[in-house]
Amino acid sequence: MSRLIQAIIGPRVPADELRSRPARYLTPTFMFMVARILLLVSVFFPYWHMELEAPQYPKGLYLTAYINHLSGDVREIDGLNHYIGMRPLGEAAKFERSVAVWAVIAMFLLVEGAAFVHTRWAVVLAIPAIAFPAGFLIDLYFWMRTFGLNLDPDAPLSSSVKPFVPTVLGEGGIGQFKTYADLGSGYWLAVAAAVLTIIGFIFHRRAYKPLFERMHREASAKGGAP
Amino acid sequence: MRISSSIRAAGRLAIVLALAGSVLGIFAESADAQEGRRRRTGQDARPIELTPEQVTQITKVANDRRLNSDDLIAAAKTFMPSGRHDEYVLFSSGGQCGQVFAIGVPSMRLLRSIAVFTPESWQGYGFAGDADPVTESLKINGYPVLWGDTHHPALSETKGDYDGEFLFIGDKANARVAVIDLRDWETKQIVKNPLTISDHGAAFVTPNTDYVIEGGQYATVLGYGYAPPEDYKKSYRGMVTLWKFDRAKGRFDVPNSFALELPPYWQDLADAGKNASDGFFFINSFNVEMATGGVEKGNPPFEAGASKRDMDYLHIIDWKKAEAAFKAGKAKPINGFPVLMLDTLIADGILYFAPEPKSPHGVDVTPNGQFMVVAGKLDPHVTVYSIEKIKAAIASGKRAGSDEYGVPILDFDSVVETQVELGLGPLHTQFDDKGYAYTSLFLDSAVARWTLGGEYAKLNPEQPWKLVTKTPVHYNIGHLCAAEGDTVSPDGRFLVSMSKWSVDRFLPTGPLLPQNFQLIDIAATGTAMPVIYDSPIGVGEPHYAQMIKADKLKTWLVYPEIGWNPHTQKLDPNAPKKGDEGVTRQGNKVLVKMTAVRSHFFPEHVEVNEGDEVTWRITAIETAQDATHGFCIGGYNINLSLEPGEYTEFRFIADRPGTYPFYCTEFCSALHLEMMGYFHVKPKTPVAAAQAIAPGTDSR
């Protein structure tokens, strides 16, 4: 094992140490595992909802965003949006949706990797998973803003509906529609994954920092550079 | 162990919370899918208690409007607050308007009409160009017959109970039967009876809708033949047709349908046996006198000649035996249609007669199938026949005789269970869940409630086979319809009197008056049976109706897929899709591929040359409930109803040069008026162009 690699992944846990204090070392590993699973499961759940309410739609119109697709009354909402000149929703975040599942798998693997790295470098591997929920919201806002501010000036209602920024969370309105947007269970699963990853790191440092320091001490005692 | 147990516990707690959170999230998600996340201001169905102020207010309204306490209770029983759905749907014949009406019960609000035998422009029924499949289906021997006289609707049944899938209805004037699919409430097929010009006993279904019964009425020469009235007994015949129904296809299976030749009595209403009488059906008849009228020659008129004898014949038909005889190849073709002749019916024991009091009208089978109730029309009784007694009489071989055609006649006393005196002019009978039967009394203008016997006797406090009460109706009741009142399990609760005359019940509407559908509350036992609503039917004239529990209907809210062809009930490969619209030409044949969506047609200009053969295809690429478009070309007699997802093709010759605006005829959106385009028909010659503008120039 080269020194560089050892410096990054840190010390292995001696077998007798692991046997005597299994919870200390298995807790972070287990929490990372749960975080990974939650993140993966979140792919199957909606990240964001919008409900549109108008008198002639007594059941409301629903828009649901998963990380890789849109569902709900997309066709109807697109049909209505054409009046104000908004581009079809399917044209938004095309790239993000196409890579989203692979990105989640990558985050899954990185967090898995973090369980094997026993230095503080492990945090670097987990940063994407921790930052993911915030990134999703920023991207969502970006697209809503882009679509809302770039309305077709030749649309039927372009003289009465001016460009606007749709409300990403909470209550908004456009024409006779009231909109209610909130985060979906998939998003909360991703948040739970991020929180678990952060808590996992507290345990991770608690377990491995002493081990790391011991490794340093032993290395110094041998006279070699760590 | 250095790691403290509290930290371990905290770690476990975090995991448990995360997992619980995700489970809750999943649960919340499934709830979302059900009803949406936000609670809407819906019906407040909590029990109410009136405050003294409200009582005062209601009393004041009642006094101002001169309503008594019964009226208030009736209003409370029938009023539907906005958005509340009716519990039952009454499918009513529309009589000579050729349509079917769907009416909500108990509110009695008209939900919609369904065009069947008569072109109807709102539904775009019969206004789709030259080779419209609807117009084609309305032709008889190549001639358009653009109206019908719808009499008896029949909901499809499974094990004798309505299943809510199909509705059949007969056209008395032209002997046709139609199939309506209750997924989209549209007519799918019309069959013309190849034997007879007119009918009456249609439609009635066997308990599993294997067959739809179409009984005839006025005897003619079968197969549209000719014979002078002097040859009446020799050449004229009655008939009943059994249309095989293919439920999977939603169409009649005509090659497996057949008819029975009957003596030239005037067969009347029919009803299929069920439970105890499954396998039989029953038809009334009148004019067994075989009167041929001729009042102009000094003969007695039909009304007298056909009512001379005291007894007519109840036709008892074993349709399972008839089916076996048909499958055994015993039918003979008349006008290409297989008919089991009288000799076969007699030899195979398919047809029996039982005497019935003269000129009866309805024959109605009790829910358990044990009794057949024949209403006397000119006799104040209903006569109740027992299927057990009929079966025993047939098996015994004992006959009271036979008619001129050799049909065996069973002895009246050996097949009749009882007779119940109800009043004047009994016509039709329906049933409820409390052992009561309800019979319309035309001359008395009343609905009679009476008790059944047998197993029904224990369901109510009264003696069996007795008149309980009569509720006056306004006026001249024909049919009546109780909730699922002709099935194996009637619901009771509501009954509609289909009163033929309304006279003074509504504001005068000129000399032509609406019919009056009167809702009667039959929920209580005994003599309480009040009329609780009058509903004018200003299109007519309705005859029979059936009332089905609304939740049995599996109605589509929009067509299942975009590009749906209602004629085939399939996605149509020819339906234009968004992006492949356009106008193409091959010689003088022009193909228009169009889509319709709020608020435009695509394309908006269609140019053809005078004389071109135009095939025009439109898909309504809508999915929202009620986002229906119309499409009309003025001057070309074209109007379509394009319901969400619907695809329509129509063809016509562009033989009228000029510039024709086409537009959406169903107010679809705020920019509905802008949903239009131009159909340009370039004239062949400049002269024609001048003619095309001529009307405009000489109008001032």
Side-chain angles (χ1 to χ4, degrees):
Chain A
M1 199 189 289
S2 85
R3 280 193 182 166
L4 182 65
I5 291 176
Q6 204 189 3
I8 293 171
I9 71 166
R12 300 298 92 188
V13 185
D16 56 340
E17 168 80 2
L18 186 63
R19 219 176 296 119
S20 65
R21 293 193 292 189
R24 182 185 175 96
Y25 297 102
L26 292 180
T27 300
T29 307
F30 182 65
M31 292 179 86
F32 286 157
M33 190 183 80
V34 174
R36 291 199 310 271
I37 291 168
L38 292 182
L39 190 60
L40 204 61
V41 168
S42 79
V43 168
F44 302 101
F45 291 92
Y47 268 55
W48 181 77
H49 298 281
M50 182 179 264
E51 183 186 340
L52 295 91
E53 226 178 52
Q56 53 275 75
Y57 294 93
K59 291 173 193 157
L61 289 174
Y62 291 88
L63 182 63
T64 305
Y66 293 74
I67 59 163
N68 61 342
H69 71 282
L70 287 169
S71 78
D73 304 303
V74 178
R75 175 187 278 273
E76 187 63 16
I77 292 167
D78 280 346
L80 294 165
N81 280 345
H82 102 275
Y83 285 115
I84 60 169
M86 189 180 280
R87 284 153 64 197
L89 297 171
E91 290 178 15
K94 263 186 172 166
F95 171 75
E96 291 90 321
R97 279 184 279 121
S98 66
V99 301
V101 172
W102 295 110
V104 165
I105 290 169
M107 287 184 263
F108 180 93
L109 293 174
L110 287 174
V111 176
E112 180 152 31
F116 289 99
V117 175
H118 296 162
T119 66
R120 64 183 62 149
W121 289 105
V123 177
V124 175
L125 296 179
I127 281 174
I130 293 169
F132 177 60
F136 174 86
L137 270 189
I138 291 166
D139 193 54
L140 180 69
Y141 177 75
F142 166 77
W143 282 107
M144 298 278 275
R145 186 184 157 87
T146 306
F147 267 46
L149 292 182
N150 292 285
L151 300 180
D152 179 359
D154 295 327
L157 298 183
S158 57
S159 59
S160 41
V161 176
K162 298 299 171 198
F164 68 108
V165 180
T167 315
V168 176
L169 288 177
E171 199 172 321
I174 175 70
Q176 81 271 40
F177 283 88
K178 268 189 175 178
T179 63
Y180 303 89
D182 63 8
L183 298 166
S185 49
Y187 186 86
W188 293 116
L189 287 175
V191 168
V195 169
L196 267 181
T197 308
I198 292 167
I199 297 172
F201 268 107
I202 296 168
F203 288 99
H204 182 277
R205 292 307 291 153
R206 204 181 287 264
Y208 294 114
K209 203 176 168 202
L211 209 61
F212 184 73
E213 282 161 0
R214 201 163 77 195
M215 185 179 84
H216 261 263
R217 280 198 304 278
E218 282 166 8
S220 311
K222 279 183 190 165
Chain B
M1 293 276 270
R2 270 207 229 143
I3 189 161
S4 75
S5 60
S6 66
I7 289 178
R8 257 188 296 165
R12 287 201 194 109
L13 184 67
I15 293 162
V16 168
L17 284 177
L19 287 174
S22 58
V23 169
L24 281 176
I26 293 162
F27 180 76
E29 212 57 45
S30 59
D32 288 359
Q34 292 299 313
E35 52 187 320
R37 284 155 302 127
R38 287 168 35 74
R39 229 165 235 288
R40 295 174 181 285
T41 50
Q43 298 295 335
D44 191 357
R46 281 173 304 173
I48 57 161
E49 233 169 86
L50 296 176
T51 62
E53 294 76 33
Q54 286 168 329
V55 172
T56 311
Q57 201 181 349
I58 290 169
T59 310
K60 181 179 182 317
V61 171
N63 288 333
D64 288 352
R65 298 195 61 218
R66 293 186 298 131
L67 304 176
N68 65 30
S69 55
D70 287 343
D71 296 335
L72 286 182
I73 291 166
K77 283 174 178 171
T78 54
F79 174 73
M80 279 290 166
S82 179
R84 184 85 56 90
H85 292 182
D86 282 301
E87 283 175 69
Y88 288 89
V89 178
L90 182 78
F91 286 103
S92 168
S93 84
Q96 59 272 45
C97 82
Q99 303 183 18
V100 164
F101 307 131
I103 292 165
V105 176
S107 75
M108 301 306 286
R109 296 175 296 189
L110 175 66
L111 299 173
R112 70 167 274 192
S113 70
I114 303 170
V116 188
F117 297 109
T118 305
E120 199 283 310
S121 45
W122 169 56
Q123 294 159 76
Y125 189 78
F127 296 93
D130 294 336
D132 179 5
V134 170
T135 319
E136 289 305 307
S137 75
L138 293 177
K139 284 183 178 167
I140 296 178
N141 294 337
Y143 297 98
V145 176
L146 299 181
W147 74 287
D149 187 11
T150 57
H151 270 241
H152 308 107
L155 287 154
S156 58
E157 294 180 7
T158 299
K159 292 180 182 163
D161 211 355
Y162 300 152
D163 54 41
E165 291 186 1
F166 296 94
L167 181 74
F168 309 95
I169 189 145
D171 163 18
K172 171 168 172 164
N174 307 293
R176 297 185 280 191
V177 183
V179 182
I180 296 164
D181 191 327
L182 291 178
R183 288 173 297 180
D184 62 353
W185 295 37
E186 286 195 2
T187 303
K188 298 301 170 190
Q189 186 189 20
I190 290 173
V191 287
K192 166 72 190 111
N193 196 299
L195 302 175
T196 182
I197 304 298
S198 61
D199 68 20
H200 190 224
F204 298 91
V205 300
T206 55
N208 282 311
T209 322
D210 299 305
Y211 291 98
V212 175
I213 299 163
E214 181 190 11
Q217 182 132 74
Y218 306 122
T220 52
V221 180
L222 295 185
Y224 319 150
Y226 170 80
E230 296 76 47
D231 292 348
Y232 187 86
K233 288 185 183 177
K234 191 174 114 229
S235 304
Y236 285 47
R237 287 293 177 272
M239 68 97 224
V240 59
T241 299
L242 293 174
W243 295 101
K244 179 82 183 154
F245 186 62
D246 184 335
R247 197 186 279 265
K249 288 195 180 130
R251 297 285 191 280
F252 288 124
D253 176 2
V254 176
N256 283 310
S257 304
F258 61 98
L260 279 58
E261 179 197 27
L262 296 173
Y265 314 140
W266 293 349
Q267 282 79 29
D268 204 21
L269 293 175
D271 198 7
K274 49 203 165 202
N275 292 328
S277 48
D278 188 16
F280 288 88
F281 67 88
F282 309 91
I283 311 179
N284 277 336
S285 67
F286 57 106
N287 196 19
V288 299
E289 298 85 350
M290 295 187 278
T292 53
V295 67
E296 67 285 351
K297 291 178 188 159
N299 298 331
F302 278 116
E303 59 176 333
S307 316
K308 223 158 101 187
R309 284 172 50 169
D310 280 341
M311 290 288 188
D312 287 301
Y313 296 131
L314 173 66
H315 293 35
I316 299 159
I317 294 167
D318 186 329
W319 65 262
K320 292 205 170 151
K321 277 189 184 169
E323 182 183 51
F326 166 62
K327 286 187 176 160
K330 293 183 183 176
K332 297 204 172 82
I334 297 179
N335 196 16
F337 196 75
V339 182
L340 292 169
M341 308 305 283
L342 272 169
D343 52 358
T344 307
L345 304 185
I346 296 162
D348 284 18
I350 294 168
L351 174 65
Y352 294 91
F353 287 158
E356 53 185 359
K358 72 173 173 186
S359 304
H361 203 32
V363 50
D364 297 288
V365 181
T366 55
N368 62 8
Q370 281 178 356
F371 305 110
M372 278 61 67
V373 179
V374 171
K377 198 161 84 180
L378 300 182
D379 180 292
H381 297 88
V382 285
T383 304
V384 182
Y385 297 77
S386 154
I387 190 65
E388 279 168 39
K389 291 185 177 182
I390 287 172
K391 283 180 181 170
I394 291 172
S396 74
K398 228 177 79 187
R399 308 286 178 256
S402 58
D403 77 341
E404 284 185 45
Y405 298 89
V407 180
I409 301 169
L410 305 176
D411 174 51
F412 180 79
D413 292 323
S414 68
V415 294
V416 167
E417 180 77 18
T418 186
Q419 288 189 297
V420 184
E421 186 170 347
L422 300 179
L424 298 178
L427 295 186
H428 305 282
T429 301
Q430 294 266 295
F431 306 94
D432 74 0
D433 56 337
K434 295 178 286 292
Y436 294 126
Y438 299 84
T439 299
S440 54
L441 302 175
F442 181 83
L443 298 174
D444 277 352
S445 277
V447 172
R449 167 185 265 175
W450 52 282
T451 52
L452 296 170
E455 66 179 66
Y456 295 109
K458 60 183 185 295
L459 296 177
N460 55 57
E462 291 89 0
Q463 291 296 307
W465 308 124
K466 286 276 181 296
L467 174 68
V468 177
T469 189
K470 286 196 248 183
T471 291
V473 292
H474 313 90
Y475 304 88
N476 291 0
I477 177 174
H479 279 272
L480 74 179
C481 171
E484 308 211 342
D486 62 0
T487 69
V488 293
S489 63
D491 286 6
R493 304 191 54 195
F494 301 114
L495 182 141
V496 173
S497 158
M498 304 173 77
S499 305
K500 300 279 181 196
W501 285 15
S502 59
V503 192
D504 60 351
R505 292 291 107 175
F506 307 110
L507 283 173
T509 55
L512 182 61
L513 273 63
Q515 330 298 316
N516 188 8
F517 279 12
Q518 291 181 291
L519 184 65
I520 297 176
D521 179 1
I522 57 166
T525 55
T527 55
M529 202 169 78
V531 171
I532 54 174
Y533 200 79
D534 276 24
S535 181
I537 306 294
V539 200
E541 168 216 14
H543 293 271
Y544 187 39
Q546 287 184 329
M547 200 194 298
I548 181 174
K549 197 92 197 297
D551 60 16
K552 285 186 174 177
L553 297 166
K554 294 164 275 281
T555 305
W556 287 336
L557 303 181
V558 296
Y559 279 110
E561 288 179 79
I562 290 182
W564 195 266
N565 185 338
H567 293 294
T568 58
Q569 289 292 48
K570 282 191 197 110
L571 188 65
D572 200 303
N574 287 332
K577 292 184 178 69
K578 194 179 178 182
D580 79 345
E581 302 95 337
V583 183
T584 51
R585 166 183 293 279
Q586 262 191 328
N588 69 335
K589 292 184 169 62
V590 176
L591 175 65
V592 182
K593 289 159 91 180
M594 181 176 263
T595 56
V597 71
R598 282 161 289 163
S599 308
H600 59 270
F601 293 106
F602 196 110
E604 292 186 326
H605 287 276
V606 175
E607 283 183 41
V608 303
N609 298 321
E610 182 186 348
D612 279 348
E613 291 174 30
V614 182
T615 301
W616 200 310
R617 295 172 177 166
I618 311 184
T619 310
I621 52 171
E622 296 278 5
T623 51
Q625 197 180 354
D626 214 357
T628 293
H629 296 290
F631 175 88
C632 78
I633 306 180
Y636 270 89
N637 197 36
I638 285 167
N639 186 44
L640 314 175
S641 170
L642 302 165
E643 290 129 42
E646 182 169 350
Y647 159 67
T648 303
E649 177 187 280
F650 59 99
R651 298 158 187 268
F652 62 101
I653 308 289
D655 51 5
R656 283 156 255 183
T659 303
Y660 296 86
F662 56 79
Y663 68 91
C664 173
T665 44
E666 182 98 8
F667 204 109
C668 62
S669 57
L671 297 173
H672 161 73
L673 294 179
E674 289 79 356
M675 188 165 176
M676 64 82 65
Y678 285 100
F679 176 50
H680 308 271
V681 186
K682 266 188 255 171
K684 277 180 181 159
T685 63
V687 179
Q691 280 171 350
I693 57 165
T697 44
D698 61 21
S699 66
R700 287 274 158 105

